[in-house]
Amino acid sequence: MDLSRILAGPYCTQALADAGADVIKIEEPGKGDDTRRWGPPFVKGESTYFLSVNRGKRSLTLNLKHERGREILWRLVEDADVLVENFRPGTLEGLGFREEELRRRNPRLVYASISGYGPDGPLGGRPGYDAVIQGEGGLMSVTGTDDSGPLKAGASLVDVLSGMNAFQGILLALVRRERTGEGGRVDVSLLESLIAPLAYHNTAWLLAGVTPARLGNRHPNLVPYETFEAADGYVIVGVGNDGLWRTFCGCLGRPELAGDPRFATNPDRVRNSAALREFLAPLLRGRPAADWLAAFEAAGVPCGRVRSIPEALESPQIAARGLLLDVVHPALGPGRYVGSPIHLDAADRGDLRPPPLLGEHTEEVLAERLGLGATEITALRASGVI
């Protein structure tokens, strides 16, 4: 049962659909998920934002402010394995769906809640959006340059990380349920989902007392590990050890640079990164990106071209891995969607059900799950329940 909207919750439930779950998305009649109106771009009236994270689901419109709507939801929840919601903490409880009652009616239910800051603590219950949490959680303080000021990431990483954490937590709870027979509560906050992946930035402060800074595309602990401008575009290189450094210098045609005492070891290069970049930047601008990449790849130096989103999606590697799925949408017709990045042997790559139209499966779900007939469904629609 998917009572979530926007990005974090729907990302989680789309992952569950890709894993084989029958996901029923509950939406408000006449309105639906907020992201149905987030755009442009729209394709034949459908928001590409909504389409990105709701593939594989069935849409059931249900008015939870109506007593009959809540009664229907209870009947559905009593037979569900998982319930996912990302309301502001306390909202679902205010509708009568308290955790203890959920457990009483369905002891095997895994109840996953995603919120900005979690339900407790001094900020418990405070609403949180991705960009706000990028600021609050420290990511913006290490993104950008001294000249740019703090910047948010170009994608909604906090929401996606939170959706991934919720997916992982649900799987853990389901594994535990196999052992104990009992469901459980999965509590995921956007704030913690951002702070935990800041890994080495966190320990730089916690253990060494160093406040991480904005370094642009440079790395605080590895040099050179950044983008460089070539004659016709940008390349990125990752020199992860001193052996690769010597190889890299050979590719540049400057083997003597590897013996320069300022740059001989990685700590030396980190301390003298500005001087090293001053030398490398004009050198790399002297040849086309393809020339540098061919030389680096032949020598085993990790490298790549900085690509646009279309270029990344059209990469032959993405095609070879089968990440893009051909799906037929009821309004848009055939189109390509991004599938699950998880490869599991002897398992399908994902459900080819398209993102649903608002309320597309209302009658189907009510008849299939609750055994309601046409007369009952018509009455529910007339009374505004669905």
Side-chain angles (χ1 to χ4, degrees):
M1 300 304 304
D2 180 5
L3 276 73
S4 69
R5 65 262 187 253
I6 315 296
L7 183 55
Y11 190 94
C12 167
T13 52
Q14 180 170 271
L16 289 167
D18 281 333
D22 176 18
V23 178
I24 300 172
K25 183 178 179 71
I26 303 297
E27 300 190 73
E28 184 178 344
K31 178 182 177 184
D33 190 316
D34 291 348
T35 60
R36 288 186 180 275
R37 294 169 300 285
W38 282 18
F42 296 95
V43 181
K44 296 183 179 179
E46 298 295 316
S47 161
T48 58
Y49 194 114
F50 175 87
L51 295 170
S52 72
V53 287
N54 286 287
R55 180 178 46 74
K57 307 174 188 180
R58 297 195 284 177
S59 172
L60 164 66
T61 53
L62 198 59
N63 182 358
L64 298 182
K65 296 178 181 178
H66 195 291
E67 181 179 357
R68 183 72 172 115
R70 294 191 296 274
E71 178 187 323
I72 289 173
L73 180 58
W74 269 121
R75 292 180 62 186
L76 292 168
V77 168
E78 286 169 354
D79 190 42
D81 290 292
V82 178
L83 183 150
V84 179
E85 59 93 7
N86 62 351
F87 291 111
R88 187 170 176 174
T91 300
L92 201 57
E93 288 85 347
L95 292 171
F97 293 86
R98 294 179 297 278
E99 183 178 354
E100 57 272 21
E101 184 64 11
L102 288 167
R103 288 180 181 277
R104 187 186 70 80
R105 295 201 188 196
N106 185 351
R108 291 177 56 82
L109 181 70
V110 172
Y111 172 25
S113 178
I114 306 171
S115 62
Y117 299 85
D120 51 9
L123 298 180
R126 181 179 175 181
Y129 272 78
D130 182 282
V132 175
I133 301 297
Q134 287 197 35
E136 291 273 353
L139 179 60
M140 290 176 67
S141 76
V142 295
T143 305
T145 65
D146 288 338
D147 293 334
S148 73
L151 298 175
K152 76 175 187 67
S156 299
L157 295 181
V158 179
D159 279 334
V160 171
L161 287 167
S162 300
M164 292 170 63
N165 284 339
F167 174 62
Q168 175 178 271
I170 289 166
L171 297 185
L172 288 170
L174 290 171
V175 169
R176 186 178 67 181
R177 191 182 74 175
E178 290 301 303
R179 298 176 179 176
T180 67
E182 294 288 328
R185 173 74 174 271
V186 176
D187 172 12
V188 171
S189 76
L190 273 62
L191 181 64
E192 293 165 281
S193 293
L194 172 61
I195 288 180
L198 291 176
Y200 51 82
H201 289 300
N202 295 332
T203 54
W205 166 249
L206 293 172
L207 301 183
V210 174
T211 301
R214 293 188 297 276
L215 299 176
N217 291 331
R218 291 174 291 149
H219 195 287
N221 310 110
L222 283 176
V223 172
Y225 193 101
E226 57 183 298
T227 55
F228 291 96
E229 186 177 6
D232 59 350
Y234 287 87
V235 298
I236 185 162
V237 296
V239 179
N241 57 54
D242 294 335
L244 282 172
W245 166 243
R246 291 187 289 272
T247 302
F248 178 69
C249 292
C251 293
L252 296 176
R254 298 291 192 277
E256 72 282 0
L257 191 63
D260 189 314
R262 296 173 299 170
F263 313 130
T265 69
N266 183 67
D268 294 328
R269 294 191 295 277
V270 172
R271 283 189 290 267
N272 296 290
S273 60
L276 180 57
R277 181 170 179 83
E278 189 175 335
F279 179 85
L280 294 178
L283 180 61
L284 282 148
R285 279 197 296 267
R287 292 172 60 184
D291 289 359
W292 289 122
L293 293 175
F296 296 151
E297 288 173 3
V301 176
C303 63
R305 184 187 298 271
V306 178
R307 300 177 183 271
S308 67
I309 298 295
E311 289 172 334
L313 289 172
E314 292 167 7
S315 162
Q317 182 65 16
I318 294 301
R321 296 288 286 174
L323 181 65
L324 299 185
L325 305 176
D326 293 314
V327 178
V328 179
H329 188 277
L332 309 182
R336 290 190 304 167
Y337 296 76
V338 176
S340 171
I342 300 171
H343 295 259
L344 180 65
D345 66 322
D348 292 334
R349 288 304 310 283
D351 192 329
L352 295 184
R353 187 190 298 273
L357 298 173
L358 179 60
E360 179 182 351
H361 305 96
T362 297
E363 295 186 10
E364 173 183 299
V365 170
L366 292 178
E368 173 192 308
R369 291 288 185 176
L370 305 184
L372 300 188
T375 301
E376 293 173 282
I377 292 173
T378 299
L380 290 172
R381 195 176 298 282
S383 60
V385 175
I386 60 175

